[in-house]
Amino acid sequence: MRILAISTALITTAAALTSTLPAHAAISCDTSTSGGSTFYDGPSASYKYDARFSNSASILNLSTHTPQGAGTWYNWDGSGKNLILIAAYRAGADSQIYGIDPSTGSTVGVVAIAESHVGGIAVSKGWAFVSGQGSSIRKYRLTELRDALKAAGTPYLGQVGTARDVAGSSFMGSYGDSLFSGTFNETGRGTMYEYKIADDGTLTTLAGAWEIPTKTQGLTVTANHFIYSTSYGRGNRSNIYVVKRGQKDLDAAALSCFRAPSMTEGITEYNGTAYLVYESGSHLYAPDPATLNVIPRMHKASISSLTALVP
């Protein structure tokens, strides 16, 4: 009974403290549309989206896997060629990594990895980092990933060492020797941490969490901005947030938000262009009439057209 009394008191105190915390101000996202036809399936998301984005490469294996994370790999084979990496999952089966040549739109290879939701993938300092089971991050040597992408079929690639448990790995992005990874939160704002990457792929957590938008699914990082892809639900439109870096409190940060088609996932930057991935074209969602926008390919936009919204 004494334990129950203490627990009840703690709950009461926690509730009282929670009730005094200031509520976040709602962030307004631009929903205005031109009312005309779009370059993608379904209704227009917003004029700002339609004016900035266009179609890009098709995504492989949508009949078996659902795309999630997106990352960029510069000079992947030593000849100056570059790749967009897409991570995709299938429940009860190996996940996959696709390498797409952004100059041609062709898929250069497919690699199988251990099963997880693979919500994020990022490249830095000789390593590919991929979201693992739970809140963890796996690492793969780029030399081994390169060889696997060049091999015939769909070879399996094992991770190096054990997965690193982190505060959240629902999505990730990299910039220089920093990896950013955070939590998806359906009902409120999430948090994101920055990790410094050592030469051996070890991640060191930097102090202080970044507050991030509700329902964050993807992130790309520039020198001065975070660009978030947020979504949840096949019948709901997504949002793109452009946030000026510097303020960890989202309410204090300069930002812009506009609507995007339903079911956005990973977003990455290559050579001044943002590439945005959708899961709506996969076998899980494309046949469902409730899916608002069925998009089986990446969309792309110039980074400058996005960052200009928050100069």
Side-chain angles (χ1 to χ4, degrees):
M1 293 300 293
R2 178 177 171 79
I3 294 173
L4 177 61
I6 292 173
S7 300
T8 303
L10 288 172
I11 292 170
T12 303
T13 302
L17 288 172
T18 301
S19 66
T20 63
L21 293 175
H24 290 298
I27 296 174
S28 175
C29 291
D30 194 330
T31 62
S32 58
T33 65
S34 60
S37 60
T38 64
F39 62 90
Y40 49 87
D41 169 76
S44 169
S46 70
Y47 176 79
K48 283 184 176 178
Y49 186 90
D50 297 349
R52 286 166 174 78
F53 282 83
S54 61
N55 280 320
S56 185
S58 297
I59 297 176
L60 201 67
N61 292 350
L62 292 175
S63 63
T64 59
H65 285 69
T66 300
Q68 296 290 302
T72 301
W73 185 1
Y74 285 91
N75 193 25
W76 78 280
D77 64 351
S79 67
K81 294 182 180 180
N82 310 294
L83 288 183
I84 302 298
L85 298 179
I86 295 177
Y89 79 94
R90 179 181 178 88
D94 289 340
S95 298
Q96 294 183 340
I97 298 174
Y98 315 138
I100 298 176
D101 185 337
S103 66
T104 65
S106 61
T107 300
V108 303
V110 182
V111 173
I113 60 173
E115 180 186 3
S116 75
H117 196 69
V118 293
I121 182 169
V123 171
S124 182
K125 299 195 71 171
W127 299 92
F129 298 95
V130 182
S131 302
Q133 295 283 10
S135 293
S136 70
I137 296 175
R138 301 168 178 164
K139 63 182 180 182
Y140 300 83
R141 285 194 181 90
L142 290 184
T143 53
E144 296 176 356
L145 178 57
R146 178 198 63 206
D147 293 344
L149 284 169
K150 288 184 174 183
T154 307
Y156 181 88
L157 180 63
Q159 69 189 61
V160 175
T162 58
R164 164 76 146 84
D165 288 327
V166 293
S169 62
S170 302
F171 62 89
M172 65 179 69
S174 63
Y175 187 83
D177 63 353
S178 287
L179 183 72
F180 296 84
S181 180
T183 57
F184 170 89
N185 188 342
E186 177 190 350
T187 59
R189 295 180 187 175
T191 56
M192 175 177 74
Y193 282 88
E194 179 180 357
Y195 304 87
K196 283 298 179 183
I197 306 167
D199 291 341
D200 65 355
T202 299
L203 301 177
T204 300
T205 309
L206 298 189
W210 299 81
E211 187 180 51
I212 61 172
T214 304
K215 303 173 184 176
T216 295
Q217 299 273 18
L219 164 74
T220 194
V221 186
T222 74
N224 298 307
H225 296 82
F226 295 123
I227 302 174
Y228 299 100
S229 150
T230 76
S231 71
Y232 188 70
R234 62 199 73 188
N236 301 320
R237 288 183 173 88
S238 308
N239 289 320
I240 303 296
Y241 287 80
V242 182
V243 181
K244 196 72 173 286
R245 290 176 60 176
Q247 291 286 349
K248 292 188 174 181
D249 178 353
L250 198 60
D251 288 313
L255 61 81
S256 177
C257 176
F258 59 91
R259 288 286 172 84
S262 63
M263 307 190 79
T264 59
E265 288 292 331
I267 184 170
T268 190
E269 183 269 342
Y270 160 68
N271 199 26
T273 299
Y275 290 85
L276 177 62
V277 171
Y278 285 83
E279 65 177 350
S280 57
S282 90
H283 64 287
L284 295 179
Y285 307 112
D288 188 345
T291 302
L292 192 62
N293 305 102
V294 176
I295 299 176
R297 59 198 312 137
M298 291 188 291
H299 286 174
K300 62 181 180 179
S302 72
I303 287 288
S304 61
S305 74
L306 301 175
T307 58
L309 294 169
V310 192

